[in-house]
């Protein structure tokens, strides 16, 4: 960790790169380094310890945009070293430098298979980590059997990496691992929480692609979410006293996919969604993130009036906050609520219009989109008058253009009378005739 195993040449290289005053000076340093590596790496008496350092220097060359392909073969060779640190550097360099179509990747398949079969779990872990970086769709058939064997490994670290590798295979080519659906489902039942939470990422992608095939897992996901919010997981998974917040977020997204337009599945979620939203409202950022994800889930699953009322109340607290980020969350969340349930728009109309006068341009644009969604024949006169005030005071061309577009469309769709329509359009043309 102290870097005592690295030479003075290496530290001088890093120091020179850090102190360079221009890109040209940096390029000159790297050109010299490339010349040094080309000369020294092929030498017959270079030890593996020294080669490890050369490969780290090679990564610096690649990171700074220069070609280091002359040294790739040395990375492949070092991956076969008996020393674990040297092996990991060989894998790391290969994963960082070899492009997805590079033929050298296939030279590592045999080494990856050997390391996955090793009795040393650290070597197994190194091979699985390398597989995450190096695997291509063509390599999946050669590696799948070796990876699946490790699902029952005694070490939770290895099982977690197995789940991550299966997830990567699914991303590369879902059809190549579709026969492993049952194996992937079983990873959700692992006794170690870190393996289970890794499995959530894999299953989320599978469910997003085909929710109907996983409907029977709704009780399992609800049960896991309930255990998480009741602090059944070790304290190591807490973040600012919130239990496993990232697992909660992932579970909420999974439930949203499974409950969409499905009353039976959604009814099993209502209680836990209410509980999660209540417990997460603790006044800290990660709690707000969970509340917002709950709102998204509630507006996606089969509608429940009690939950929608709770979601609307949470949104109102966001809108009343002084924090711009929370206001933005409130506007975004309310837009999702209003999209399917317009009756909630009226309660927050004034709070939303206040956001239109905020100094934050991003918040203004988001508010403008929401106001447009909230417009109807009843409130069009009031909202249009506020939009005209914003058009009059705004100097941002993009915002003015959006305001003009929204005003013209709203006037055509919701005008309560011909007189109002004519006067509104004339006012728009007076304020921004060039944008109409």
């Amino acid at each position: 960790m102290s870097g005592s195993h690295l030479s003075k040449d290496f530290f001088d290289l890093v120091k020179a790169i850090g102190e360079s005053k221009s890109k040209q000076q940096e390029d000159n340093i790297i050109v010299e380094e490339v010349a040094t590596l080309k000369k020294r790496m092929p030498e017959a008496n270079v030890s593996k310890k020294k080669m490890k350092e050369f490969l780290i220097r090679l990564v610096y060359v690649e990171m700074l945009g220069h070609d280091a392909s002359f040294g790739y073969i040395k990375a492949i060779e070092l991956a076969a070293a008996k020393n674990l640190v040297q092996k990991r550097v060989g894998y790391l360099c290969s994963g960082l430098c070899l492009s997805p179509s590079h033929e050298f990747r296939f030279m590592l398949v045999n080494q990856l298979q050997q390391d996955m079969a090793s009795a040393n779990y650290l070597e197994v872990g190194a091979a699985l980590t390398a597989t995450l970086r190096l695997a291509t769709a063509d390599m999946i058939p050669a590696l799948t059997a070796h990876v699946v064997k490790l699902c029952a490994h005694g070490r939770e670290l290895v099982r977690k990496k197995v789940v991550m590798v299966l997830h990567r295979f699914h991303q590369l080519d879902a059809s190549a691992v579709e026969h492993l659906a049952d194996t992937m489902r079983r990873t959700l039942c692992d006794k170690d929480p870190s393996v289970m939470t890794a499995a959530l990422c894999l299953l989320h992608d599978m469910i997003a692609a085909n929710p109907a095939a996983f409907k029977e897992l709704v009780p399992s996901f609800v049960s896991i979410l309930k255990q998480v919010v009741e602090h059944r997981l070790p304290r190591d998974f807490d973040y600012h006293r919130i239990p496993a917040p990232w697992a909660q977020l992932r579970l909420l997204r999974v439930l949203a996919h499974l409950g969409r337009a499905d009353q039976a599945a959604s009814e099993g979620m209502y209680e836990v969604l209410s509980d999660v939203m209540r417990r997460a409202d603790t006044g800290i950022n990660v709690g707000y993130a969970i509340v917002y994800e709950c709102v998204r889930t509630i507006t996606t699953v089969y509608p429940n009036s009690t939950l929608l009322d709770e979601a609307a109340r949470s949104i109102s607290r966001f809108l009343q906050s002084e924090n711009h980020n929370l206001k933005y969350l409130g506007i975004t969340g309310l837009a999702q609520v209003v999209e399917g349930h317009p009756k909630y728009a009226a309660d927050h109309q004034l709070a939303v219009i206040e956001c239109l006068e905020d100094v934050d341009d991003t918040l203004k644009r988001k508010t403008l989109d929401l106001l447009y969604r909230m417009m109807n024949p009843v409130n069009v006169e009031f909202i249009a008058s506020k939009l005209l005030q914003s058009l009059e005071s705004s100097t941002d061309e993009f915002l003015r253009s959006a305001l003009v577009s929204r005003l013209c469309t709203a006037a055509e769709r919701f005008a309560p009378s011909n007189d109002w329509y004519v006067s509104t359009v004339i006012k728009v043309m007076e304020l921004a005739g060039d944008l109409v």
Side-chain angles (χ1 to χ4, degrees), residues 213-342:
F214 295 87
K215 294 287 184 179
E216 78 281 2
L217 289 180
V218 169
S220 300
F221 287 121
V222 167
S223 173
I224 291 168
L225 184 53
K226 195 171 181 182
Q227 290 176 54
V228 171
V229 297
E230 290 175 354
H231 287 276
R232 304 272 187 88
L233 266 59
R235 290 288 178 187
D236 293 344
F237 290 86
D238 286 9
Y239 179 77
H240 289 270
R241 299 188 305 280
I242 298 286
W246 286 273
Q248 288 192 52
L249 292 170
R250 186 68 66 175
L251 282 161
L252 288 167
R253 290 176 196 138
V254 166
L255 292 177
H257 285 301
L258 292 171
R260 189 189 299 272
D262 187 330
Q263 185 174 0
S266 297
E267 284 174 351
M269 306 172 189
Y270 293 154
E271 184 183 346
V272 77
L273 289 175
S274 176
D275 194 29
V276 170
M277 189 153 61
R278 179 177 53 80
R279 288 172 182 262
D281 199 357
T282 56
I284 60 174
N285 282 346
V286 72
Y288 294 139
I290 293 171
V291 171
Y292 173 68
E293 200 62 50
C294 282
V295 171
R296 289 184 61 187
T297 304
I298 288 165
T299 56
T300 305
V301 301
Y302 193 86
N304 175 276
S305 57
T306 307
L307 278 180
L308 284 166
D309 289 343
E310 285 184 38
R313 281 195 294 274
S314 297
I315 290 297
S316 67
R317 287 199 291 280
F318 287 162
L319 291 172
Q320 291 158 12
S321 170
E322 295 298 314
N323 186 315
H324 285 162
N325 291 332
L326 292 184
K327 279 188 176 179
Y328 187 89
L329 272 188
I331 292 292
T332 310
L334 186 57
Q336 290 171 329
V337 173
V338 167
E339 191 171 351
H341 314 279

Side-chain angles (χ1 to χ4, degrees), residues 4 24 88 102 278 321:
S4 57
Q24 186 179 7
R88 289 173 69 174
H102 204 290
R278 179 177 53 80
S321 170

Side-chain angles (χ1 to χ4, degrees), residues 1 5 9 14-15 50 63 90 98 102 141 183 186 215 223 226 241 295 313 320 328 330 347 389-391 393 417:
M1 292 298 289
H5 59 290
D9 290 345
V14 176
K15 186 181 177 187
K50 194 67 183 173
M63 277 198 304
L98 299 180
H102 204 290
T183 302
R186 281 197 295 273
K215 294 287 184 179
S223 173
K226 195 171 181 182
R241 299 188 305 280
V295 171
R313 281 195 294 274
Q320 291 158 12
Y328 187 89
D347 300 338
Q389 286 175 21
S390 292
L391 181 61
S393 60
S417 67

